[in-house]
Amino acid sequence: MNRRSRPLNDMDQQRDVLITLKRSVGAPGADALKEWVDRAMKESIPVHDIRCALIQGVETLRHRLMSSDFGMPDFLLSIDSVLDGLDMLSGMEDAGSMPDTPIVIGVVKGDPHDLGKNIIAGIYRAYGYRVVDLGRDVCSDAFVQGVALNGAKILGISAMMSTTMSAMKDIIRDVKAKYPETKIIVGGAPLNEVLASSYGADAYVESAVSVIEQTMAILDTD
Amino acid sequence: MGVFISMGRSAPTQFLSRLVKTVLSGQVPPPGLFPEWMLDGAASLCSARASLTPLANVERLITTLRHKEPDHVPCCPLVISASRRLVGASFPEFAQDPYIAADALLAGFEFLGGEIIVPMLDLSVEAADFGQSMVYPEDSTPHPDYSDPLIKDVAGYGKLRRIDLKDARRMSNLLVLYPILVGEVGFRGAVCGFCFGPLGVLNMMRGAEHLFRDCVNHPREVMAAMETITDVLIEYVEAQCDAGVLGVTLDTLFASWNGLSREMWERIEGPFVRDIAHAIRKKGCLVAVHNCGHGVYFDSQIRFMEPDIISFAHLPDDCKDRKELKARYGDQVVLMGYVETPLLSYSTPFDVMQECRKMIHDLADGGGFILAPGCEYPPNLHLDNALALVEAARKYG
């Protein structure tokens, strides 16, 4: 191997590792992804590039989500393993990390369903956002306080029941009254874009497929 | 239409005695009591007469179920908990007292009209009887106490025990409710029972997130619990049929993009709901499927359950629009739906009627369509838009 081709080979090898890492997102077996993150770290691949490969993997999964061959169980387990992989990178120098964009998220009062909220929170974390999860059965005051304490640029609110969704209207009113610059995203089975807009939300997210693009779009409107 | 007719062919005396008994007690006999040719003949006659005179509700239903054109499409407004307001009952009263629920649902039927009532209380009925602790809010639908799931870990699936229907308070309440409704509604409409699918019941006792992970990591344990649940559900649907309902609705939410992949659903829940559907059909009753998920696997559900009706809220996974839906599935199954919940929540009655008009235009051609919301009518919403739904069926159907 001559001197000129050596760096190129290293790069090829690193590229192969990153491609395999990206493909391991969503592959069967909980440990495969962690093994490839470990391998990438041993290859001294920049943390930023490892993170990007993981995000690209999640990107592919998100677009497979609303399809018949990839269900919620596969998606949840994939996000779990991506978050485990990201944990392995924590504390390492990451020059190209995402800007700090705190996102506060929660389910409205009276609603016990938090699966959708948890999925969205997991995706945000996988993309490098800092997520403050208020949980479920959250009253309006707690949402306002959550935004205040964390300087949230985004507030995500979920409701899965038609009997609880109208609480969103009050929460949005209360948050916007104090923090008009905070962008509010809503989601849940009984909602659609028109209803979300009538409540004063900045965006309605129908599924995990589009949440990142919509979040980036409303942040860009500033 | 997968109507079970062997009873009519192999045991004419039994057939006649059940038919006479049902009719004399003022109830609509289950379609399975009749041979297919007789149902088709009756439907053809009704369809021919429909252009001359209005049909009775039951005639309209038979015509629709046999994929012939009635005078107008039947309607099932799916006003369930919302009907409690007509009798001044609270959510907990409606959910826990079968006589109050009967009064409310009958008031809804008298007030709104329509051809079909689906009396269900909430999705936690079966889980509560297995021992899941419940929350009964004053202003919202009852639900499991998710902070205290019955199945706390993977070992919990194996600890689930079969229950006796007579000790099952909430299911027993429905078995009190059904005969009251069947008797009161009589020939004016159809009462269709309801049963949450076994995976749905398990979801109520384990929580969706854990259950989904367990379906991948511990499928054997999940399916062992499904076996236990299914045994009870079969007994439950048979008791519903004996109570005089025309059919039973199976809710299979997880056969959609919101649940499992098609392959996993066919492996994990498909075989169990096939057995439940078979038990319903064996009683001569209709099998209906309700699934309000996105991208419902119509073909898988038809293969496993051979339903007569599919009630849905969104297009199936393999259809891009209503036209394709009608072309692909319109002659295999009666389509029931699918006015969306948000539209009912924010629109005026006029807007609801216009949406119904478009839906009827796209789906009602040649029969086989029942106008309905995609999911339960919002329980805290005024009933104007439910009235609009029924009126649209009558006016534009």
Side-chain angles (χ1 to χ4, degrees):
Chain A
M1 193 177 287
N2 64 42
R3 226 182 275 172
R4 275 187 301 178
S5 63
R6 191 177 179 81
L8 192 62
N9 281 342
D10 282 349
M11 282 176 66
D12 283 347
Q13 199 169 332
Q14 290 192 350
R15 197 190 60 201
D16 287 349
V17 169
L18 289 174
I19 288 171
T20 314
L21 174 60
K22 178 187 156 184
R23 287 182 182 154
S24 70
V25 176
D31 292 332
L33 185 140
K34 281 200 271 187
E35 281 166 17
W36 281 102
V37 171
D38 189 48
R39 172 90 181 268
M41 289 161 72
K42 282 178 181 155
E43 294 279 343
S44 303
I45 297 175
V47 172
H48 173 69
D49 293 350
I50 302 175
R51 190 186 291 277
C52 283
L54 289 172
I55 287 175
Q56 284 168 11
V58 176
E59 192 89 359
T60 308
L61 289 193
R62 279 200 299 124
H63 290 96
R64 282 179 68 195
L65 189 56
M66 296 297 257
S67 71
S68 313
D69 65 346
F70 192 73
M72 294 305 305
D74 312 288
F75 190 75
L76 280 169
L77 290 168
S78 302
I79 292 292
D80 288 349
S81 59
V82 168
L83 294 176
D84 285 347
L86 288 170
D87 275 352
M88 293 166 69
L89 304 176
S90 64
M92 297 179 69
E93 190 183 340
D94 184 2
S97 66
M98 300 276 297
D100 186 37
T101 308
I103 295 180
V104 168
I105 192 165
V107 180
V108 299
K109 186 151 187 63
D111 201 320
H113 306 95
D114 61 359
L115 175 64
K117 181 266 294 173
N118 292 348
I119 289 170
I120 297 296
I123 291 172
Y124 277 140
R125 286 191 178 111
Y127 275 77
Y129 290 98
R130 181 163 67 83
V131 177
V132 179
D133 187 347
L134 302 178
R136 60 190 177 207
D137 198 16
V138 182
C139 67
S140 183
D141 286 350
F143 274 111
V144 174
Q145 203 177 4
V147 169
L149 288 175
N150 297 286
K153 289 186 179 170
I154 298 273
L155 171 64
I157 315 173
S158 168
M160 287 301 287
M161 302 165 82
S162 68
T163 50
T164 60
M165 68 179 179
S166 59
M168 285 179 167
K169 196 173 182 176
D170 297 337
I171 296 165
I172 293 170
R173 183 200 60 215
D174 294 350
V175 171
K176 287 282 185 188
K178 288 192 173 174
Y179 304 99
E181 73 286 359
T182 298
K183 301 292 183 186
I184 301 181
I185 293 178
V186 297
L191 295 163
N192 69 2
E193 201 157 356
V194 179
L195 198 52
S197 174
S198 77
Y199 286 171
D202 295 294
Y204 159 71
V205 174
E206 187 179 19
S207 75
V209 174
S210 59
V211 64
I212 294 299
E213 290 76 6
Q214 285 178 281
T215 303
M216 289 164 81
I218 60 168
L219 286 171
D220 280 349
T221 57
D222 280 345
Chain B
M1 181 173 170
V3 175
F4 178 84
I5 56 167
S6 63
M7 185 186 290
R9 283 172 180 163
S10 62
T13 317
Q14 193 186 348
F15 155 70
L16 274 175
S17 101
R18 190 166 167 203
L19 181 61
V20 169
K21 193 176 153 193
T22 316
V23 173
L24 286 180
S25 61
Q27 298 171 15
V28 181
L33 289 183
F34 301 94
E36 302 270 346
W37 63 264
M38 198 182 279
L39 292 169
D40 279 335
S44 296
L45 283 174
C46 288
S47 186
R49 193 163 61 76
S51 53
L52 305 170
T53 55
L55 299 178
N57 283 359
V58 171
E59 292 176 319
R60 190 171 301 117
L61 267 179
I62 291 169
T63 311
T64 301
L65 290 167
R66 303 305 293 184
H67 296 261
K68 306 271 194 294
E69 274 195 20
D71 52 348
H72 63 77
V73 298
C75 181
C76 176
L78 279 177
V79 170
I80 303 168
S81 301
S83 67
R84 80 194 188 283
R85 291 152 72 202
L86 292 169
V87 295
S90 67
F91 272 102
E93 286 167 342
F94 178 82
Q96 296 182 95
D97 186 325
Y99 299 100
I100 290 177
D103 285 348
L105 289 161
L106 283 168
F109 181 68
E110 301 297 344
F111 180 68
L112 295 165
E115 284 78 7
I116 305 177
I117 307 184
V118 182
M120 49 91 75
L121 300 176
D122 51 76
L123 294 177
S124 315
V125 167
E126 299 88 351
D129 284 338
F130 273 98
Q132 173 60 50
S133 61
M134 291 286 299
V135 177
Y136 292 93
E138 276 300 314
D139 55 355
S140 184
T141 312
H143 56 78
D145 179 357
Y146 286 113
S147 65
D148 182 23
L150 184 69
I151 300 174
K152 292 181 169 51
D153 49 32
V154 175
Y157 290 110
K159 292 176 190 160
L160 197 67
R161 291 288 167 261
R162 201 191 143 96
I163 52 169
D164 197 324
L165 265 191
K166 68 176 185 318
D167 302 324
R169 187 177 61 87
R170 298 206 71 203
M171 285 192 272
S172 295
N173 279 351
L174 275 156
L175 295 175
V176 170
L177 168 65
Y178 288 137
I180 299 173
L181 291 179
V182 168
E184 291 292 329
V185 170
F187 288 104
R188 295 181 299 151
V191 178
C192 202
F194 185 88
C195 174
F196 206 7
L199 200 58
V201 176
L202 211 45
N203 168 45
M204 293 291 176
M205 302 190 284
R206 175 69 170 139
E209 246 181 291
H210 288 304
L211 177 62
F212 282 156
R213 289 185 174 97
D214 295 340
C215 282
V216 176
N217 294 330
H218 307 284
R220 195 172 293 182
E221 287 83 351
V222 170
M223 288 172 78
M226 300 267 283
E227 192 85 51
T228 306
I229 294 168
T230 300
D231 284 346
V232 176
L233 296 186
I234 286 176
E235 207 182 314
Y236 181 41
V237 296
E238 286 174 343
Q240 292 187 29
C241 296
D242 291 341
V245 297
L246 196 70
V248 180
T249 308
L250 295 176
D251 189 324
T252 53
L253 173 66
F254 297 109
S256 70
W257 291 341
N258 298 90
L260 311 187
S261 66
R262 178 197 304 279
E263 178 278 322
M264 191 181 280
W265 183 81
E266 291 186 355
R267 185 161 40 86
I268 289 189
E269 189 172 45
F272 295 103
V273 288
R274 179 172 49 206
D275 290 350
I276 300 171
H278 180 68
I280 298 166
R281 203 169 293 111
K282 213 169 158 188
K283 288 280 184 183
C285 292
L286 299 173
V287 175
V289 167
H290 172 74
N291 189 323
C292 56
H294 284 83
V296 178
Y297 313 143
F298 266 44
D299 54 349
S300 296
Q301 299 198 81
I302 289 171
R303 195 146 33 85
F304 277 88
M305 291 177 278
E306 297 177 53
D308 303 288
I309 302 168
I310 295 186
S311 151
F312 59 102
H314 303 279
L315 287 170
D317 68 320
D318 52 0
C319 296
K320 62 178 184 309
D321 55 32
R322 288 176 193 165
K323 200 175 164 190
E324 194 176 346
L325 166 67
K326 183 72 177 174
R328 191 176 293 229
Y329 294 108
D331 56 359
Q332 294 185 53
V333 72
V334 172
L335 303 169
M336 178 166 141
Y338 66 110
V339 180
E340 58 169 20
T341 302
L343 184 86
L344 293 170
S345 301
Y346 66 74
S347 293
T348 64
F350 180 74
D351 289 340
V352 170
M353 286 185 72
Q354 293 315 302
E355 173 60 17
C356 292
R357 184 181 200 167
K358 284 185 218 157
M359 210 167 272
I360 289 165
H361 177 266
D362 294 341
L363 296 172
D365 215 20
F369 176 62
I370 298 168
L371 184 66
C375 204
E376 181 188 357
Y377 189 83
N380 285 342
L381 193 66
H382 56 74
L383 295 175
D384 301 14
N385 285 341
L387 279 167
L389 208 78
V390 178
E391 179 60 13
R394 202 181 56 78
K395 193 166 180 180
Y396 305 126

